[in-house]
């Protein structure tokens, strides 16, 4: 690999560039700054926004849909419903973001901002767009074209959301390929290029492209389609697709895309969700050629611009919650507080467990294959604890209340109490460890990771109450489009948390069985 510019360790960078559940990336450049948006599904707030100066180091600067007036995801919304596949663009001095909320009462939503960090406007509803994955592109006459999954296109007024004329069908990829989606339209040189995903977002995922003289076509497919896919390979990054192109400051081209990192035996289970990866792009005979997508990549030729590492511990002593915290479907003001007991987070239960769609839960994406998560919880007025959540039917948790610690597991239709232990009155330290197997520890049925739940002593000693198989908190088992979120919840009454600590331990391995 060739060395990159100044500041790159060994001249390389690590993929993914945004780890954990950050799928469907959309990117744009404004001057020397890059901005990225991702899907958020049933979680609130919606559509995380990131900033970078080098396309590799990304810092979350906010969320687009962060107010109840902007995002409504009713409790009737199933997991993996909600907010799908945004497109982020900068045009005429403003940021524009268009996205689909597939929940009841949702639809195609368009928000704007002068600063990508926000505040973002309340959404304008684009009622004439009948598909997911909407895209925005402007032609030289100032017309705004919205292209969406299917693949179809309609001209819109982006200020009012009104459609201007009937939709028209465009090129939809390889004949017979499933799920033509994720369209992005670009004017590059003399052509309009239509980039799409096809093959479904599982192992058959692929990226294809076509070009035309005008936004509405007719489109000529690239003879080398698909220009990116890892289907049928043993590469460590799979499900590659749903891509977006960006031209860098130096005139080079790059692609952001989603992919997964399966682990364990056969068929392989990915647990972190679909993550954001980066790949170089070159142009040959007027067509983009995508470079390798690998865990270790040659660094770009410009200087590295690292971003601050988020603190491992949140002591809940600020006025508000950091942008990375997620709640399930909504975050009613009366269900949480940072002031009721200063320096502590108070959660007030609504749903009785993580089985319920209205559970009061505050979590963050699991972003490392191995990590340790700890909290100090005071259950004096209720019952709650730590949980690793994929959806209502697939989650593990450790909770404390009524003088007892319990480890709970929900796998499909089965809910069980795995272990119990009495505890004295007062705050209790709970701990969850996620341990990735060593590379040589593989066999066909090997789990992707192991999760250990237990109680931590004040000196750091860890009493493990249960070790659970991680495959049951994977997309291959649960289905859907999300990944793991680890956090705190209240099951009854009011539960207070003094701090929450998330520590990656990439070298840690799962215990032998």
């Amino acid at each position: 690999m060739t060395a990159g510019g100044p500041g790159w360790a060994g001249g390389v960078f690590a993929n993914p560039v945004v780890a954990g559940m950050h799928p469907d990336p959309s990117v744009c450049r404004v001057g020397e700054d890059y901005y990225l948006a991702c899907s958020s599904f049933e979680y609130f707030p919606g559509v995380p926004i990131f900033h970078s100066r080098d396309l590799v180091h990304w810092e979350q600067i906010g969320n687009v849909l962060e107010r109840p007036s902007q995002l409504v995801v009713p409790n009737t919304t199933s997991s993996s419903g909600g907010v799908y596949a945004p497109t982020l663009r900068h045009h005429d001095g403003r940021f524009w973001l268009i996205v689909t909320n597939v929940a009841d009462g949702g639809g195609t939503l368009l928000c704007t901002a002068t600063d990508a960090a926000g505040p973002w406007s309340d959404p304008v509803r684009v009622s004439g767009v009948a598909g997911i994955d909407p895209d925005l592109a402007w032609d030289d006459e100032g017309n705004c074209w919205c292209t969406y999954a299917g693949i179809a296109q309609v001209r819109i007024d982006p200020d009012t959301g009104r459609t201007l004329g009937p939709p028209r069908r465009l090129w939809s990829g390889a004949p017979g390929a499933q799920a033509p989606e994720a369209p992005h339209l670009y004017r590059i040189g003399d052509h309009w290029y239509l980039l799409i995903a096809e093959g479904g977002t599982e192992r058959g995922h692929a990226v294809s492209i076509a070009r035309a003289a005008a936004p509405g076509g007719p489109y000529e497919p690239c003879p080398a389609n698909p220009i990116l896919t890892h289907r049928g390979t043993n590469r460590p990054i799979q499900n590659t697709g749903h891509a977006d192109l960006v031209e860098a400051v130096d005139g080079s081209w790059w692609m952001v895309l989603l992919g997964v990192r399966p682990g364990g035996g056969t068929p392989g289970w990915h647990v972190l969700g679909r993550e954001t990866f980066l790949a170089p792009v070159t142009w040959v005979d007027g067509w983009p050629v995508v470079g390798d997508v690998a865990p270790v990549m040659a660094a770009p030729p410009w200087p590295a611009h690292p971003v601050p590492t988020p603190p491992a511990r949140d002591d809940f002593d600020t006025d508000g919650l950091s942008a990375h915290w997620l709640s399930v479907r909504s975050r009613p003001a009366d269900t949480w507080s940072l002031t009721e007991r200063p320096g502590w987070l108070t959660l007030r239960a609504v749903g009785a467990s993580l089985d319920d769609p209205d559970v009061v839960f505050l979590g963050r994406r699991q972003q490392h294959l191995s990590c340790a998560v700890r909290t100090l919880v005071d259950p004096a007025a209720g019952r709650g604890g730590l949980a690793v959540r994929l959806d209502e039917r697939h989650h593990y948790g450790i909770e404390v209340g009524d003088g007892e610690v319990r480890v709970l597991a929900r796998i499909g239709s089965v809910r069980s109490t795995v272990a119990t232990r009495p505890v004295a009155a007062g705050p209790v330290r709970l701990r969850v460890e996620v341990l990735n197997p060593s590379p040589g520890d593989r066999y066909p049925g090997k789990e992707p990771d192991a999760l250990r739940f237990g109680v931590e002593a004040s000196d750091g000693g860890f009493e493990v109450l249960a070790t659970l198989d991680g495959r049951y908190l994977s997309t291959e088992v649960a289905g859907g489009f999300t990944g793991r979120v680890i956090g705190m919840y209240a099951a009854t009454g009011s539960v207070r948390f003094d701090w929450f600590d998330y520590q990656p331990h990439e070298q840690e391995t799962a215990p032998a069985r």
Side-chain angles (χ1 to χ4, degrees):
M1 293 184 180
T2 7
W8 298 100
V12 298
F13 71 87
N15 255 330
V17 292
V18 187
M21 183 186 62
H22 293 101
D24 310 325
S26 181
V27 64
C28 70
R29 177 173 66 88
V30 183
E32 297 184 353
D33 297 281
Y34 303 91
Y35 299 91
L36 183 102
C38 299
S39 296
S40 50
F41 298 98
E42 74 265 28
Y43 290 99
F44 180 94
V47 189
I49 291 283
F50 296 84
H51 169 257
S52 175
R53 295 296 299 274
D54 61 14
L55 283 173
V56 172
H57 300 96
W58 294 92
E59 179 181 18
Q60 187 172 355
I61 57 175
N63 296 279
V64 174
L65 305 174
E66 61 179 0
R67 303 186 300 274
S69 62
Q70 295 172 299
L71 178 61
V72 177
V73 181
N75 290 335
T76 54
T77 306
S78 64
S79 291
S80 290
V83 176
Y84 283 17
T87 292
L88 177 66
R89 295 293 181 254
H90 190 266
H91 173 76
D92 198 22
R94 279 196 286 174
F95 289 94
W96 303 76
L97 186 131
I98 190 167
V99 70
T100 310
N101 180 3
V102 301
D104 290 342
T108 301
L109 309 176
L110 200 162
C111 299
T112 63
T114 55
D115 183 343
W120 287 77
S121 68
D122 280 346
V124 169
R125 192 176 302 274
V126 188
S127 57
V129 173
I132 61 172
D133 301 1
D135 175 75
L136 293 176
W138 286 262
D139 63 23
D140 292 341
E141 288 72 45
N143 297 308
C144 182
W145 298 98
C146 180
T147 309
Y148 51 95
I151 302 286
Q153 183 185 82
V154 66
R155 187 163 67 97
I156 69 169
D157 178 342
D159 293 313
T160 66
R162 189 165 61 94
T163 53
L164 307 172
R168 56 193 178 194
R169 304 293 298 184
L170 301 182
W171 173 77
S172 294
Q178 68 167 327
E181 58 189 3
H184 289 306
L185 186 64
Y186 317 90
R187 175 69 177 270
I188 303 172
D190 295 330
H191 292 96
W192 286 87
Y193 287 86
L194 177 60
L195 187 77
I196 72 165
E198 60 182 23
T201 195
E202 299 80 32
R203 296 294 192 267
H205 215 192
V207 179
S208 293
I209 197 166
R211 68 186 181 190
Y219 279 89
E220 166 199 4
C222 175
N225 278 336
I227 61 172
L228 172 65
T229 186
H230 283 184
R231 61 194 178 204
T233 72
N234 64 353
R235 296 182 181 185
I237 301 165
Q238 289 291 321
N239 302 30
T240 51
H242 204 118
D244 200 3
L245 293 169
V246 64
E247 184 180 12
V249 176
D250 67 349
S252 63
W253 284 82
W254 297 79
M255 175 181 282
V256 295
L257 64 140
L258 69 76
V260 305
R261 294 181 281 171
T266 299
W269 298 273
H270 75 274
V271 300
L272 303 189
R274 298 168 301 161
E275 306 174 278
T276 291
F277 294 81
L278 180 70
V281 173
T282 55
W283 290 84
V284 178
D285 298 327
W287 294 107
V289 177
V290 185
D292 195 21
V293 183
V296 179
M297 303 280 292
W302 49 76
H305 289 276
V307 299
T309 301
R313 177 175 291 204
D314 193 329
D315 283 307
F316 304 121
D317 54 6
T318 58
D319 293 337
L321 293 171
S322 298
H324 67 267
W325 286 112
L326 298 174
S327 299
V328 181
R329 295 181 180 81
S330 64
R331 187 181 293 164
D334 61 352
T335 62
W336 68 281
S337 173
L338 294 172
T339 58
E340 183 174 302
R341 183 175 178 180
W344 293 66
L345 168 71
T346 299
L347 297 182
R348 302 184 192 94
V350 179
S353 75
L354 275 93
D355 300 352
D356 299 321
D358 56 351
V359 64
V360 175
F361 171 86
L362 192 75
R364 54 156 294 163
R365 295 163 176 87
Q366 182 185 330
Q367 293 185 275
H368 300 83
L369 297 175
S370 290
C371 62
V373 178
R374 304 155 56 241
T375 189
L376 179 65
V377 54
D378 184 350
R383 177 169 47 86
L386 282 177
V388 185
R389 179 188 190 272
L390 199 68
D391 60 26
E392 278 79 29
R393 292 167 53 83
H394 301 85
H395 51 83
Y396 297 153
I398 180 167
E399 66 181 34
V400 59
D402 303 320
E404 183 180 72
V405 171
R406 301 188 296 171
V407 178
L408 306 170
R410 172 71 189 265
I411 303 170
S413 58
V414 178
R415 187 177 198 271
S416 54
T417 300
V418 180
T420 62
R421 173 197 189 278
V423 290
V428 178
R429 294 182 185 223
L430 301 179
R431 180 164 156 183
V432 177
E433 290 187 344
V434 183
L435 303 177
N436 189 42
S438 62
D441 184 20
R442 303 289 183 187
Y443 53 86
K446 177 66 178 176
E447 69 269 25
D449 58 4
L451 288 83
R452 302 196 301 192
F453 295 80
V455 177
E456 184 179 272
S458 57
D459 63 0
F462 184 31
E463 179 186 352
V464 178
L465 301 183
T467 300
L468 302 177
D469 188 328
R471 83 187 69 201
Y472 302 110
L473 303 188
S474 72
T475 301
E476 282 76 12
V477 170
F481 304 125
T482 61
R484 289 182 188 164
V485 177
I486 303 179
M488 304 154 287
Y489 71 100
T492 64
S494 294
V495 185
R496 296 183 171 92
F497 301 85
D498 187 21
W499 44 262
F500 178 95
D501 188 89
Y502 175 102
Q503 295 277 359
H505 295 303
E506 289 290 11
Q507 303 306 314
E508 209 164 12
T509 57
R513 288 187 176 271

